[in-house]
Amino acid sequence: MIDIAFKNNIKPTNGCVLISDPFLDEDFFRRSVILLCDHSSEGSFGFVLNNFLDVDLHEIDNDFPDINAVISVGGPVETESLFYIHTFGDIIKDSTPVNDSISIGGNFEQIKEELSKDQENHAKIRFFLGYSGWDKLQLSREMSDNSWIVASNITTDELLTIHQKDFWQYCIEKQGERFKTIAKFPINPIDN
């Protein structure tokens, strides 16, 4: 008998990545990868990393530097609001640390200035419309139901620069040999 259990024992923390289980039957979060930005007893929030829009931020805001800034749909909450994570740290006033390497938000004018200064800086930021949120204990319940695999081995560089639809498969395969089998499961088992 082959054990295809995908439960892991890593607890969710700020800055970790949540990978949806392959059988999660929820339209928005099916095969999603989420950067968890805040996780506490009061609730949690993060951004879906692999749900991309086919639009450049410069097309929405003419004042924004033309750097081919990819925008992702970060979640179903506040979808009219723009959010961003970055590795500029204290350089960006009013940004909030997620972990040692990633911060969220901060002064948007400073963001534009940093991106205009150096073309290399575009690899230090990701943009999202909306976010994913969990009420008090909701994420804990979903973890108990094995809805998410917690990954701590996805690098900051991977979070900020990989813009591909198969990022879910990439992340789940990176969790080790026992996860590679479920990474290849079709979304609809009838398609197998």
Side-chain angles (χ1 to χ4, degrees):
M1 182 174 174
I2 298 173
D3 181 14
I4 60 168
F6 48 84
K7 183 174 184 162
N8 64 9
N9 296 318
I10 302 171
K11 301 287 183 209
T13 59
N14 294 358
C16 75
V17 170
L18 301 177
I19 306 168
S20 68
D21 87 79
F23 309 109
L24 185 64
D25 191 26
E26 205 285 331
D27 286 341
F28 193 88
F29 295 108
R30 184 177 293 125
R31 303 278 168 116
S32 63
V33 179
I34 297 177
L35 172 65
L36 191 60
C37 294
D38 187 39
H39 178 63
S40 71
S41 60
E42 299 305 310
S44 306
F45 84 91
F47 300 106
V48 175
L49 298 166
N50 60 328
N51 190 356
F52 308 104
L53 292 172
D54 191 21
V55 64
D56 185 309
L57 188 52
H58 180 72
E59 295 172 26
I60 297 170
D61 180 355
N62 292 335
D63 292 335
F64 194 81
D66 191 5
I67 61 165
N68 295 320
V70 175
I71 303 174
S72 299
V73 178
V77 183
E78 290 190 34
T79 56
E80 300 291 318
S81 298
L82 183 69
F83 300 91
Y84 39 96
I85 58 171
H86 56 84
T87 57
F88 293 114
D90 292 347
I91 293 172
I92 305 301
K93 191 176 175 183
D94 300 325
S95 63
T96 303
V98 170
N99 60 19
D100 291 341
S101 57
I102 297 175
S103 296
I104 183 173
N107 185 290
F108 193 62
E109 293 305 314
Q110 281 185 287
I111 291 285
K112 292 195 297 190
E113 185 178 311
E114 290 300 319
L115 294 172
S116 295
K117 273 189 209 175
D118 185 351
Q119 187 67 18
E120 299 294 314
N121 282 342
H122 77 278
K124 296 180 178 182
I125 193 162
R126 286 275 313 261
F127 295 93
F128 306 91
L129 285 176
Y131 68 90
S132 301
W134 292 266
D135 290 333
K136 186 177 184 176
L137 301 178
Q138 182 182 0
L139 182 56
S140 297
R141 286 191 301 274
E142 290 180 15
M143 295 299 299
S144 295
D145 292 341
N146 296 326
S147 296
W148 302 101
I149 297 163
V150 179
S152 59
N153 63 346
I154 309 299
T155 68
T156 298
D157 184 56
E158 290 168 326
L159 295 174
L160 294 175
T161 61
I162 296 180
H163 302 107
Q164 59 194 40
K165 287 285 185 187
D166 61 353
F167 191 50
W168 177 87
Q169 183 174 345
Y170 171 85
C171 290
I172 205 160
E173 286 180 351
K174 196 170 177 183
Q175 302 317 299
E177 202 58 42
R178 70 185 178 114
F179 290 93
K180 289 185 179 181
T181 302
I182 63 172
K184 303 219 183 310
F185 278 27
I187 291 175
N188 184 353
I190 295 170
D191 296 339
N192 195 5

